[in-house]
Amino acid sequence: MTTTDPAGAIEVAGVEYLPEEARDSRPRNLGAVFLGANLTWTNVVFGAFAVVFGLSFWQTVTSMAVGIAIGILVVLPTAVIGPRTGTNMTVSSGAFFGIRGRFIGSGIALAIALGFAAVTVWTSGDAIVAAAHRMLATPENDVARALGYAAVAVLMVTIALYGHATIVAMQKIVVPVVGALLVLGVPAFADTFQTASTTSEYALGGFWPTWTLSAVLFAAAPISYGPTIGDYTRRISARRYTDRSICTALAFGMFVGVLLPSLFGAFTAMSITDPTDSYLNDLVAAAPAWYVIPIVVISLLGGLSQGVLCIYASGL
């Protein structure tokens, strides 16, 4: 078996055991993958949802921080399985559930991957169509959306087919570029930002039930990556790196990765003065002209980063 895993070349390793000499990744690559994979419209919309639930900005921030932290604590122990088994999570689960039993986990993993890939294609495609309509006066109809969805999907599948090293290299570009563009959203929407809730009612009738609902939503983001963590930790040597370094890198990547776009979603939702039933269309309409191009870049790079992760997991 070829042990090298160069970026830009199609990965030849599947789910078989990876020998020590093939484990050429490191914890910081793991952190970059799961940081970049979360810089997507999916988590941005999650942040906007909390505002729609009736929470104020700072109430939303606390629910984010607590929910993300709980979700990471739930999923973090799985990070050490891949370096020990040398394979991904679904195959490793065979040791616990048997060959037949692991198909249940494999089915759940496939459903999660396809679900998030579909949401990523939908949100990124809609944002691109809305931005193109504003900049170029192109139509916002089903045909335009279909083309937008197809473009995002084709790019996702292409990069995923190249495999681990190419995904890691891509995420190292996504993290600084998309991260900086999300931060630029602060001055872009600061003029109309307000910290008070935009609605007079809590979604579940009271503060604590609604806050808990929001926290659970944010906890779901890191937990959903449980089946895919081994796709990347299996290439990290348990001899050269400690469990602590692997878990720390994963926790940092997930926490910052989910928090940053979710904050962007909450901040911009608090800045939209006349919301409709489409947050992404409202975002593009409310953005200053200079920020429309960054929205397109976030749509492409952010959409690719999460969608590629899902498709790669399914392909393995």
Side-chain angles (χ1 to χ4, degrees):
M1 182 184 71
T2 302
T3 59
T4 56
D5 180 33
I10 296 177
E11 182 182 11
V12 297
V15 296
E16 66 270 19
Y17 172 79
L18 288 176
E20 182 67 24
E21 60 269 20
R23 303 185 192 185
D24 52 359
S25 190
R26 57 188 66 188
R28 69 182 184 186
N29 290 341
L30 177 69
V33 165
F34 284 93
L35 200 165
N38 282 294
L39 300 180
T40 180
W41 290 121
T42 304
N43 286 319
V44 172
V45 172
F46 280 0
F49 275 166
V51 173
V52 174
F53 292 162
L55 298 178
S56 69
F57 178 75
W58 292 112
Q59 290 169 347
T60 297
V61 171
T62 59
S63 71
M64 279 181 199
V66 173
I68 296 168
I70 291 174
I72 290 173
L73 289 175
V74 169
V75 80
L76 198 59
T78 63
V80 302
I81 297 176
R84 285 167 168 73
T85 63
T87 186
N88 68 347
M89 296 298 295
T90 53
V91 175
S92 298
S93 68
F96 302 94
F97 305 112
I99 295 176
R100 295 179 182 176
R102 76 177 179 85
F103 283 118
I104 298 175
S106 298
I108 294 172
L110 180 61
I112 292 173
L114 292 178
F116 270 90
V119 170
T120 301
V121 168
W122 163 48
T123 53
S124 296
D126 277 0
I128 291 171
V129 170
H133 175 72
R134 177 169 173 183
M135 292 187 300
L136 306 173
T138 54
E140 280 188 293
N141 53 31
D142 292 342
V143 173
R145 292 187 179 90
L147 291 173
Y149 299 157
V152 174
V154 167
L155 288 172
M156 284 167 41
V157 171
T158 301
I159 295 175
L161 288 175
Y162 277 88
H164 172 268
T166 303
I167 295 172
V168 171
M170 182 196 72
Q171 300 291 21
K172 290 181 178 180
I173 297 173
V174 169
V175 169
V177 173
V178 177
L181 294 180
L182 289 172
V183 172
L184 273 178
V186 175
F189 293 92
D191 289 346
T192 54
F193 172 70
Q194 56 180 342
T195 59
S197 174
T198 57
T199 179
S200 59
E201 296 182 358
Y202 291 115
L204 297 185
F207 168 72
W208 284 113
T210 304
W211 185 93
T212 302
L213 171 65
S214 178
V216 169
L217 180 67
F218 292 116
I223 292 174
S224 69
Y225 287 109
T228 66
I229 291 172
D231 298 345
Y232 303 91
T233 58
R234 69 189 181 124
R235 285 196 171 272
I236 299 175
S237 171
R239 298 179 188 175
R240 296 195 300 273
Y241 299 102
T242 64
D243 290 349
R244 176 178 293 183
S245 66
I246 295 170
C247 291
T248 299
L250 178 64
F252 176 81
M254 281 190 170
F255 189 85
V256 176
V258 178
L259 184 67
L260 181 58
S262 297
L263 282 173
F264 177 88
F267 183 86
T268 52
M270 288 290 193
S271 304
I272 296 172
T273 55
D274 189 20
T276 68
D277 59 354
S278 175
Y279 162 77
L280 290 173
N281 284 344
D282 292 341
L283 178 73
V284 172
W290 63 266
Y291 196 72
V292 178
I293 292 295
I295 288 176
V296 174
V297 175
I298 294 170
S299 300
L300 286 173
L301 292 184
L304 286 177
S305 63
Q306 185 178 69
V308 163
L309 204 77
C310 298
I311 294 172
Y312 178 66
S314 303
L316 285 178

